Amino acid sequence: MYPEEIVAPIREDLAGAGFKELFTPEEVDAVMKESGTTLCVINSVCGCAARNARPAAKLSVGMTDKTPTNLVTVFAGVDAEAVAQARKYTLPYPASSP
């Protein structure tokens, strides 16, 4: 687990761009049952998320008329149960990092 003072600005990077934070497996399941398309970003403090994942997710929103209806994020290394549940929806593709 990472200290909140490190995590807070990283969370805000996506939350400020309109991504809803999910903290529990139940929240993940609920949003995945909603109609429409869901973009779920598995956020992290790692450099890959900082340099590639978060900027790409933010840039992708609104670029076309096919913007997902549900923009959500879970935080790896912090909200472990929510991340584990979100990763079930990405199968058969494995996580790019633990």
Side-chain angles (χ1 to χ4, degrees):
M1 297 296 233
Y2 298 102
E4 187 57 31
E5 60 268 13
I6 292 173
V7 172
I10 299 169
R11 283 187 191 274
E12 180 55 31
D13 190 23
L14 289 177
F19 286 78
K20 178 183 176 186
E21 295 180 85
L22 306 177
F23 301 99
T24 68
E26 294 78 19
E27 289 176 321
V28 171
D29 286 339
V31 100
M32 293 301 188
K33 290 178 184 173
E34 293 178 11
S35 63
T37 303
T38 299
L39 172 59
C40 179
V41 178
I42 300 177
N43 203 354
S44 174
V45 299
C46 75
C48 296
R51 177 65 180 110
N52 297 310
R54 288 192 304 272
K58 292 185 298 184
L59 284 171
S60 73
V61 175
M63 290 186 72
T64 72
D65 59 346
K66 296 181 181 181
T67 296
T69 50
N70 303 312
L71 301 172
V72 298
T73 181
V74 293
F75 206 107
V78 178
D79 304 313
E81 292 175 349
V83 171
Q85 192 65 19
R87 285 183 171 158
K88 290 179 182 178
Y89 289 95
T90 67
L91 294 173
Y93 305 101
S96 60
S97 64

